[in-house]
Amino acid sequence: MELQAVVSTLESGEQDTVLKVLQVYNQEKSQCFTFEDEEREERKKMAQLLIRFLERELQPSCQVTCLESIRILSRDKHCLDPFTTKEGLKTLSRHAGIDYSEELIREVPDLDVILESLKCLCNIVFSSAMAQELTAEGRLVVGLARRIKLYNERSLPHDIKFFDLRLLFLLTALRVDVRQQLAQELRGISLMTDTLELTLGVKWLDPYEVATEEGLLPPLPRQETERAMEILKVLFNITFDSSKREVDEEDAALYRHLGALLRHCLMISADGEDRTEEFHSHTVNLLGNLPLKCLDVLLTPKVQPGSLEYMGVNMDAVSILLDFLERRLDRGHKLKENLTPVLNLLTESARVHRQTRKFLKARVLPPLRDVRNRPEVGNSLRNKLVRLMTHIDTDVKHCAAEFLFVLCKESVSRFVKYTGYGNAAGLLAARGLMAGGREEGEYSEDEDTDTEEYKEAKPNINPVTGRVEEKLPNPMEGMTEEQKEHEAMKLVNMFDKLSRYWDMVCVWGCICHKPSFGCVPKA
């Protein structure tokens, strides 16, 4: 359908005719995500008319169709101006049922109208900085929080709940002030934790342990998984700095309750391997935001038949995190994004919980037996992590080195023993520990146990490579005294040339082959 014909029909304002024309337009453009530049002005005109038309008293079917057209046009970043005004956003938020300024909505909007309005708002807020600013000023987050509180009382369809949460995620991701408002003024951590608990449908054995029916953990259904992931993303946004500050006992109890829910998330699967991986990824990201002292809830559950026990503690969650880490390592895709959250989480957990560290040490750095290969050669988890210690990405290599260093109780000698001095040099230099020593971490005094293989090979292990090296032949063996003297003079000449070369390096760090001309420092 010609766009000019749609505009002309909208200008006429006749509801039935507009409905028919827009239905045809929406059907033709339902899968359109790119737009012709030549029709940009007509689309802007259509957008203005649609918002104006939507402010009239319309039948729900006409409202839905009008909103579908707005959703299609909102995919074009060049046509957002008519939607990114106070009046336009107020109209959309009113139809979505989340206009904060209305203390009591006299007539609850039709559910299809609510859903289409939420989709429009998501598109517009995502693409427009002006919309982000106006929705923050308009306190749209208050209306969203108000409706989310009612999820336990009102029966709303999945799609509306999902797009409520998606819009809340976008607002908290794109605006720091909205993030703070939700966290502080609206008690967002408690609100979203309750919403997550409702979505997961959990029951509790005690304040920090989720009960499972007959010990079974069935996969979380698709719709609940989708909503849970949006909740986890919102919680990540509003707890971003929690791990860096001290919390009082009331907040600590709140974070531990959330941590127990997150442990449950780790223990269950979703509908399919990829969806489970994504679900666990969001869970790991959020766990990394919790205050360190609250991570003890990962070890709280009692040891049950079938649980993984270590030192009398339930290590099921820690084992799952370690398996998650190894899967990410094996994939080798987007290492910084995919590895650093779980590496940091395991590192901090090991630093503050002795049982966790000793369990991880047993799994990652078992007593050395293979002393013939370099530490980075092989398919064990230790080998894979040591390879990361020389990765091109600074964050990745630092996280891997820090993890292994903590497992070694921050002992330089033990760290070098498992990784080789060459691999360890980066972290040791950054810590000022190249000459040896130990960080001031609080660790027990138990000693590392060496295998018989390691004890036998230890005198022949090259500390730089971390393996037994074959003894090299003496290069001067079989030479006459005259030949030895000749080689020594060659070495003296090489040192002399090197010394004169460095004399020509100026204070700016460049080499002046013509020092009299001076040099220009690099910016």
Side-chain angles (χ1 to χ4, degrees):
M1 173 173 286
E2 289 293 330
L3 197 55
Q4 187 57 52
V6 179
V7 171
S8 299
T9 306
L10 278 168
E11 287 176 328
S12 71
E14 208 286 312
Q15 186 173 159
D16 291 340
T17 307
V18 168
L19 176 60
K20 291 177 182 178
V21 169
L22 289 181
Q23 284 174 338
V24 174
Y25 177 83
N26 294 347
Q27 186 174 4
E28 290 179 356
K29 301 293 186 180
S30 62
Q31 299 302 313
C32 179
F33 293 90
T34 56
F35 299 87
E36 297 292 335
D37 291 342
E38 292 77 9
E39 296 181 332
R40 184 177 297 171
E41 292 305 317
E42 286 85 350
R43 287 196 299 277
K44 286 184 179 179
K45 180 68 173 176
M46 180 180 172
Q48 292 170 346
L49 292 169
L50 282 169
I51 280 290
R52 199 175 305 158
F53 190 72
L54 195 59
E55 292 170 354
R56 294 169 47 180
E57 293 293 329
L58 303 173
Q59 293 295 322
S61 60
C62 192
Q63 289 177 332
V64 170
T65 303
C66 188
L67 286 163
E68 286 175 349
S69 300
I70 291 175
R71 173 164 56 85
I72 291 168
L73 291 176
S74 68
R75 298 169 185 167
D76 182 1
K77 294 183 180 181
H78 300 289
C79 294
L80 293 177
D81 288 350
F83 307 137
T84 56
T85 63
K86 286 185 179 180
E87 295 75 17
L89 289 169
K90 186 175 180 63
T91 297
L92 291 172
S93 62
R94 187 177 70 251
H95 282 79
I98 53 174
D99 182 9
Y100 79 94
S101 62
E102 297 187 24
E103 295 182 5
L104 179 65
I105 299 176
R106 296 176 182 175
E107 184 178 350
V108 177
D110 178 85
L111 293 179
D112 290 334
V113 172
I114 291 176
L115 179 59
E116 278 301 324
S117 301
L118 287 170
K119 290 179 179 178
C120 292
L121 285 168
C122 285
N123 281 358
I124 294 165
V125 168
F126 177 73
S127 299
S128 168
M130 177 58 71
Q132 294 159 21
E133 182 177 344
L134 289 174
T135 51
E137 291 176 1
R139 295 168 62 84
L140 198 64
V141 65
V142 178
L144 279 170
R146 181 174 60 186
R147 182 155 68 204
I148 290 170
K149 284 181 183 177
L150 301 176
Y151 281 178
N152 198 26
E153 302 171 14
R154 291 181 59 188
S155 178
L156 290 172
H158 159 72
D159 285 345
I160 287 180
K161 291 180 179 178
F162 175 81
F163 281 101
D164 274 349
L165 296 167
R166 172 60 60 84
L167 181 56
L168 189 58
F169 162 68
L170 290 172
L171 290 171
T172 53
L174 297 168
R175 295 286 302 191
V176 175
D177 51 351
V178 174
R179 194 182 310 161
Q180 294 171 341
Q181 183 183 4
L182 178 60
Q184 298 167 14
E185 177 187 334
L186 301 173
R187 298 183 63 82
I189 297 173
S190 178
L191 171 63
M192 300 313 295
T193 300
D194 291 344
T195 309
L196 179 62
E197 185 176 336
L198 179 66
T199 303
L200 297 174
V202 300
K203 297 179 181 178
W204 296 89
L205 285 177
D206 62 40
Y208 303 131
E209 183 174 358
V210 173
T212 57
E213 189 175 339
E214 298 180 358
L216 298 176
L217 295 170
L220 192 64
R222 181 185 63 83
Q223 292 185 346
E224 282 72 15
T225 302
E226 289 178 349
R227 297 203 304 275
M229 288 196 291
E230 294 302 314
I231 295 168
L232 293 173
K233 286 153 61 178
V234 172
L235 279 165
F236 177 86
N237 290 342
I238 62 177
T239 61
F240 190 70
D241 65 342
S242 298
S243 63
K244 301 179 181 66
R245 58 184 174 85
E246 288 294 323
V247 291
D248 58 27
E249 286 305 311
E250 182 181 352
D251 284 342
L254 177 61
Y255 282 118
R256 282 195 171 95
H257 185 73
L258 173 57
L261 275 177
L262 297 180
R263 182 188 186 279
H264 178 70
C265 290
L266 285 177
M267 301 303 296
I268 61 178
S269 60
D271 58 332
E273 186 177 335
D274 289 344
R275 185 57 60 90
T276 300
E277 184 82 7
E278 184 182 3
F279 179 49
H280 286 173
S281 178
H282 291 303
T283 303
V284 169
N285 291 345
L286 180 53
L287 274 168
N289 281 0
L290 299 192
L292 294 181
K293 69 177 183 179
C294 300
L295 292 177
D296 55 1
V297 294
L298 295 178
L299 312 178
T300 297
K302 301 176 184 66
V303 177
Q304 304 288 347
S307 297
L308 180 59
E309 178 185 355
Y310 188 85
M311 297 178 66
V313 176
N314 188 320
M315 285 291 170
D316 287 339
V318 179
S319 180
I320 286 173
L321 287 171
L322 198 57
D323 292 341
F324 179 85
L325 167 65
E326 189 156 18
R327 285 197 304 275
R328 289 287 172 94
L329 271 171
D330 291 340
R331 288 183 181 179
H333 179 61
K334 293 183 178 178
L335 289 180
K336 181 175 180 177
E337 176 185 331
N338 292 329
L339 275 183
T340 52
V342 65
L343 270 174
N344 285 332
L345 175 60
L346 287 171
T347 300
E348 296 306 325
S349 297
R351 202 190 300 274
V352 297
H353 297 119
R354 177 172 176 264
Q355 297 96 328
T356 299
R357 180 186 58 76
K358 291 179 73 68
F359 172 77
L360 291 172
K361 168 73 162 48
R363 288 276 298 268
V364 179
L365 300 177
L368 277 177
R369 298 186 185 279
D370 180 9
V371 290
R372 295 289 172 182
N373 292 312
R374 290 173 178 264
E376 65 270 24
V377 175
N379 294 316
S380 72
L381 188 50
R382 174 179 77 109
N383 302 144
K384 296 171 186 177
L385 288 167
V386 172
R387 283 199 288 272
L388 288 184
M389 291 171 64
T390 53
H391 193 272
I392 190 172
D393 187 287
T394 304
D395 289 336
V396 171
K397 70 180 181 182
H398 172 77
C399 286
E402 186 76 12
F403 177 52
L404 295 177
F405 194 47
V406 168
L407 295 191
C408 293
K409 297 195 291 190
E410 303 188 21
S411 162
V412 172
S413 60
R414 191 173 300 180
F415 185 49
V416 170
K417 167 185 168 182
Y418 283 102
T419 66
Y421 198 80
N423 293 314
L427 181 137
L428 297 181
R431 297 287 193 90
L433 295 171
M434 290 293 280
R438 182 170 179 165
E439 289 283 277
E440 296 181 358
E442 296 181 7
Y443 298 104
S444 59
E445 292 302 320
D446 58 304
E447 293 298 325
D448 208 14
T449 303
D450 291 335
T451 62
E452 290 301 321
E453 294 92 331
Y454 180 79
K455 289 178 181 177
E456 183 179 341
K458 187 175 180 180
N460 300 316
I461 293 177
N462 183 329
V464 176
T465 62
R467 70 166 184 176
V468 172
E469 300 280 3
E470 295 295 332
K471 289 185 178 180
L472 297 175
N474 184 350
M476 295 209 174
E477 189 175 347
M479 286 187 182
T480 65
E481 290 301 321
E482 290 78 7
Q483 289 173 323
K484 290 179 182 179
E485 185 177 345
H486 177 70
E487 292 297 325
M489 288 306 299
K490 282 172 61 178
L491 188 60
V492 169
N493 289 333
M494 290 170 63
F495 274 117
D496 181 58
K497 288 180 181 179
L498 184 62
S499 176
R500 285 187 282 111
Y501 171 85
W502 283 110
D503 285 342
M504 291 192 297
V505 177
C506 76
V507 292
W508 298 113
C510 60
I511 297 174
C512 301
H513 296 289
K514 296 181 179 179
S516 59
F517 293 165
C519 61
V520 179
K522 293 181 180 179

